[in-house]
Structures are given as structure tokens and as C-alpha cells.
């Protein structure tokens, strides 16, 4: 699998930028709107957008259960922002009817940074990604408040005035087995290193991070 086939869930949100970034990272990218398209892919990106809308559309397109099944079988997945929310097993500040796949044992708070500021950019270090810090773009982003067993924290961000109860910063990048999730949007910058990391996960060549 030198050039893996990676789907981007294309019901809503930031699809085209992820496809471009995946191609830049050495994969072949295809949009996924139907179960037959899902069957063909080696891995799946769940893009940013709006998790409440994505949850509804997954059900309307009869895709929720097929995606959940592939995830439970171990298909590699990368969720950014709303996609991170979709992978979590607990969502705070969500709508009561919103569903998530529950494949990463973590608690994610929606629109968490939005209490201070809706959108911002900052440079962060990401475990497993070498070289210069990564420019992370946050847009009405969630943060991770709890990680369960087997979840490696790959990145955190200092959060100015609100870091009192999180002295090490807020968790914004995690990996649990075949699943990667970021609060931020690596697809909106030209730096393809997060997508390269995910493509390596799909190939099975990305080293397992340490779980602390
Ligand atoms: N606030 C959005 C949600 O709850 C996520 C925002 C984003 O994906 N940029 O789904």
C-alpha cells in the first residue's frame, strides 16, 4: 500500500482542503458520501464543520452505522475539529440528539476556546512530527478534557486566561491506536506534516506514540 486510498467524509464541512492535503502527503483521496465508497477506502478523514449537522447528515445518508462498523473494525481515521468531536466517546456542550462514534475514549468540549475567542492561530509541538513547530489554526474549536486508557496526548496549547485548571495547557491532539484527532485544522495551512503522519498511520508505518 505505497499510495493508500483515503476517503474524506463529504457530507458537510472542510472536504476539498483535506483532499488536497492528503494528495500532497502521498495518498490518493476520494470523497465519501455513500457506503459503497466507504467500503473501498483504507482510511477515513472526518473533516471540520459542524458536528451537530454532521451527525444528522450521517443518519440521513445511512452512513452512521457503516462508518461506525469500519471504525470498530480498526479502519484508521483522522478527525479534525468537528471530526475530533465525532470520534469522541463523550461530548460536552453538545446537543442532546447529537451522536458520535465513540471510538476514542476521551471527553471533548465543543466550542471550548470560543468562550475567550472564536478563532486563533498558534504554533505548537506535536509528538511524532519532527522539525519546526506546527502552525495550528483553531476555529470554534473543541478541547479534550479527559483521555482514557490507551490515548496518547500528542499536542497541547497554552490557553491564556483560562489555563488555571489546566496548568499544562489544553489537549488539542491525540492518538488512540488507529485514530488521530486534532482540535485544529491542519488542512488550511500548506504544511502537510499532520496529513503525512496520518498517511503513515494508514500505511502502518507511523510509530506508536508513548501513552502517558
Ligand atoms: N464548533 C464546531 C462543532 O461543534 C466545530 C468547528 C469546526 O469544525 N471548525 O462541531
Amino acid at each position: 500500500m505505497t499510495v493508500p486510498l483515503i476517503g474524506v467524509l463529504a457530507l458537510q464541512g472542510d472536504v476539498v482542503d483535506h483532499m488536497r492535503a492528503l494528495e500532497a502527503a502521498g495518498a490518493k483521496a476520494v470523497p465519501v458520501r455513500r457506503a459503497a465508497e466507504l467500503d473501498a477506502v483504507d482510511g477515513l478523514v472526518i473533516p471540520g464543520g459542524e458536528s451537530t449537522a454532521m451527525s444528522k447528515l450521517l443518519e440521513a445518508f445511512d452512513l452512521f452505522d457503516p462508518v461506525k462498523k469500519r471504525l470498530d473494525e480498526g479502519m484508521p481515521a483522522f478527525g479534525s475539529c468537528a471530526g475530533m468531536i465525532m470520534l469522541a466517546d463523550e461530548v460536552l456542550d453538545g446537543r442532546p440528539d447529537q451522536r458520535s462514534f465513540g471510538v476514542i475514549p476521551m471527553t471533548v468540549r465543543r466550542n471550548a476556546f470560543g468562550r475567550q475567542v472564536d478563532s486563533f492561530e498558534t504554533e505548537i509541538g506535536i509528538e511524532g512530527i519532527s522539525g519546526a513547530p506546527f502552525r495550528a489554526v483553531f476555529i470554534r474549536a473543541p478541547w479534550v478534557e479527559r483521555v482514557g486508557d490507551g490515548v496518547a496526548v500528542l499536542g497541547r496549547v497554552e490557553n491564556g486566561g483560562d489555563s488555571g485548571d489546566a496548568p499544562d495547557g489544553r489537549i488539542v491532539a491525540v492518538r488512540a491506536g488507529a485514530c488521530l484527532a486534532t482540535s485544529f485544522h491542519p488542512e488550511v495551512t500548506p504544511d502537510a506534516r499532520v496529513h503525512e503522519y496520518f498517511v503513515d498511520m494508514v500505511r502502518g508505518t507511523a510509530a506508536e506514540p508513548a501513552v502517558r
Side-chain angles (χ1 to χ4, degrees):
M1 199 205 292
T2 9
V3 180
L5 182 66
I6 301 185
V8 180
L9 186 66
L11 302 177
Q12 197 261 346
D14 211 1
V15 176
V16 173
D17 285 336
H18 272 293
M19 291 186 51
R20 181 196 42 74
L22 287 167
E23 302 258 344
K28 178 158 172 41
V30 287
V32 167
R33 289 188 196 86
R34 289 178 297 140
E37 292 163 340
L38 178 69
D39 289 344
V41 300
D42 302 312
L44 185 70
V45 170
I46 306 179
E50 179 52 54
S51 56
T52 53
M54 218 179 283
S55 160
K56 279 206 187 86
L57 289 166
L58 279 159
E59 290 187 333
F61 281 70
D62 290 325
L63 262 181
F64 191 95
D65 292 337
V67 172
K68 166 90 177 130
K69 180 164 180 283
R70 288 282 324 259
L71 292 171
D72 287 343
E73 289 166 359
M75 173 183 64
F78 168 35
S80 64
C81 203
M84 169 187 255
I85 296 167
M86 294 306 303
L87 293 173
D89 74 350
E90 187 180 26
V91 178
L92 302 179
D93 293 341
R95 283 176 50 122
D97 59 347
Q98 122 172 57
R99 294 177 71 197
S100 65
F101 294 118
V103 283
I104 303 183
M106 64 177 174
T107 303
V108 167
R109 186 177 294 280
R110 287 182 66 220
N111 302 331
F113 293 99
R115 292 186 205 124
Q116 281 79 42
V117 57
D118 267 0
S119 303
F120 64 100
E121 300 184 24
T122 189
E123 310 226 310
I124 64 169
I126 302 175
E127 190 178 326
I129 291 180
S130 53
F134 195 86
R135 182 130 204 105
V137 178
F138 295 82
I139 305 166
R140 292 180 61 73
W143 67 40
V144 179
E145 290 196 2
R146 167 196 64 101
V147 291
D149 288 347
V151 182
V153 173
L154 304 186
R156 298 173 188 263
V157 67
E158 292 306 322
N159 183 35
D162 189 54
S163 50
D165 54 345
D168 298 330
R170 293 294 181 181
I171 298 169
V172 294
V174 298
R175 176 172 168 192
C179 288
L180 176 70
T182 63
S183 301
F184 54 91
H185 289 264
E187 74 284 5
V188 301
T189 52
D191 188 341
R193 285 179 294 165
V194 171
H195 288 81
E196 283 165 8
Y197 181 87
F198 179 59
V199 172
D200 283 344
M201 282 174 60
V202 177
R203 287 192 185 111
T205 56
E208 284 283 337
V211 177
R212 285 188 289 272

